[in-house]
Amino acid sequence: MSNPDHSIIDISVTCTVFGFDGQALNVLLMRQRPPVPDFPLKETLDDAAARVLYECTELDGIFLQQFYTFGHPQRVRAPKDQDWLKTVRAHPERRVVTVAYYSLVKMDDVSPRAAPDSLAQTVEWVDIAKIPALAFDHNKIVVGGLKRLKEQLTSENLGFKLLPEKFTLIQLQHLYEIVLERKLDKRNFRKTVKKMQHLIPLDEKEDGVVRKPAQLFKYKRDFPE
Amino acid sequence: MSNPDHSIIDISVTCTVFGFDGQALNVLLMRQRPPVPDFPLKETLDDAAARVLYECTELDGIFLQQFYTFGHPQRVRAPKDQDWLKTVRAHPERRVVTVAYYSLVKMDDVSPRAAPDSLAQTVEWVDIAKIPALAFDHNKIVVGGLKRLKEQLTSENLGFKLLPEKFTLIQLQHLYEIVLERKLDKRNFRKTVKKMQHLIPLDEKEDGVVRKPAQLFKYKRDFPE
DNA sequence: ACAAAAGTGTTTTTTTTACACCCATGA
DNA sequence: TCATGGGTGTAAAAAAAACACTTTTGT
């Protein structure tokens, strides 16, 4: 009933990490790493995603959401992917099904660094408008994560998760414009956003800026994040 | 790098099939079957889901959408599930990760029947309000499918996929009310729905009904379904 | 003629969009 | 004092919600 050995399929979890630097939406890319870390037997998928995220960012308790599972039989079969897998995996020929999560982090909280273990080379932020060709089907995965983020940003108020603790409404608007891929009207945006319970104006202003400083706001969480 | 043998994880695909009988939303349940059919190595996940659907319904080319992947380490570990798995699987102890799809069919097109192979006993429609305790985490899976259907019904115009070729606006409204779990206003509903391109009024009325017969409509597809 | 459900428009409310000028700051 | 981007309100349009009576049919 179960798959005989010759049809074993590996399963893995991946995490597409988004961050916003005030100008562009970025995604955290790992170069020269196994596409997917090992997947301990006793871990839930959510826990595995959280671990993957932690390994790249040292962050804990971060927003994470499963968005799609990629399982095309040929997804790890491109010659260059195979060449590399052979150097790194016991069973490079095996089909891999990957459960993809996306995650929203405050870029300031992440100090891009090598993962603690062996093979990692670099972890770096890349503007989503400038993503190079990635290994496997990781371009598709990023696009999938983006699509889901776009769908959920407004209804789930996810924008705050991508901004620093203190932010301006202009920053928030800019982020929305980038994710939603359309211009928003400044006054209407502020009208809407100021209705939200969770948006708390601070008695503080931007600093070190060569124009009228903008007011800072914070986001009040209901629960620890 | 890959999982050593002792940590092999089986992967499977499941399909939650919804149908509407005019009164209630129903889900197609298979009793006494392996929770998940075997998963050939060369099949895409989408193809596997289509095959599973075909095996239960003999239907082809049906709306199918992946909605979530279930992978809790204990999800096949309940004693009664294990007892039964042992009679049916070579590796009942293995963890199983299941990629879940949901599907919308016209109930009239399905003649519930046993699947062609061995172990199937029955395939039957059950009102979603009356779903018994199912094996494994299948209750959760159905709830997840329902949730996704509810999210997508309106924006994706999915209602038509659950109705017969010819249907009345009352039927359509009733379906929406059940899926969305709220009453809709008859006049507003018709106003909205009549704006849709794809809704074609027929020169036909309901028949054999002891009151004013309702007009029939059909849904015009852009593409073969 | 009656029961039963089908069918039909208008008004009100809410939400969304469009739009332009003054303000505070640092250089 | 000037350049820069921050900040503000109102009116029009569109969308959504509320609401009740007439019609057609079979018995």
Side-chain angles (χ1 to χ4, degrees), chain A residues 1-3 8-11 38-39 41-45 66 68-69 71-73 88-89 94-95 97, chain B residues 1-3 8-11 38-43 45 66 68-69 71-73 88-89 94-95 97:
Chain A
M1 276 300 139
S2 292
N3 294 308
I8 284 172
I9 296 178
D10 279 349
I11 179 128
D38 285 349
F39 183 22
L41 192 60
K42 299 211 180 321
E43 219 173 22
T44 65
L45 298 173
Q66 187 190 307
Y68 203 74
T69 295
H72 195 283
V88 110
R89 300 218 145 206
R94 279 193 191 162
R95 178 170 175 182
V97 168
Chain B
M1 275 301 139
S2 292
N3 295 307
I8 285 172
I9 296 178
D10 280 348
I11 179 128
D38 285 349
F39 182 22
L41 193 60
K42 299 213 180 319
E43 217 173 21
L45 298 174
Q66 187 190 308
Y68 203 73
T69 295
H72 195 285
V88 111
R89 300 217 144 208
R94 278 193 190 161
R95 179 169 174 182
V97 168

